[in-house]
Amino acid sequence: MGAANSTSSSSSPSAADPVAPKKKICCACPETKGPRDECIAMKGEENCTALIEAHKKCLRAEGFDV
């Protein structure tokens, strides 16, 4: 029974390691975050979908699940 528990616990970290973020989400992707935030403030969220999606793509590349 102990071997089964160690097998499942060792598979969890290995599944999380490839996508584990290296930074806090607030500090990731400043090159897309700034333009996205400025666009939303000036034009409204509905008019900035391309910048929002670009920021999400960057965050996913950094390992975040968004």
Side-chain angles (χ1 to χ4, degrees), residues 1 3-5 8-12 14 16-17 23 32 36 47 49 52 55 58 66:
M1 215 186 281
N5 287 341
S8 60
S9 66
S10 64
S11 65
S12 294
S14 64
D17 285 343
K23 305 173 186 175
T32 56
R36 176 209 63 177
N47 297 310
T49 55
I52 292 168
H55 187 59
C58 181
V66 291

Side-chain angles (χ1 to χ4, degrees), residues 35-36 39-40 42-52:
R36 176 209 63 177
C39 182
I40 292 171
M42 299 298 221
K43 299 178 182 179
E45 186 175 339
E46 63 280 353
N47 297 310
C48 302
T49 55
L51 291 171
I52 292 168

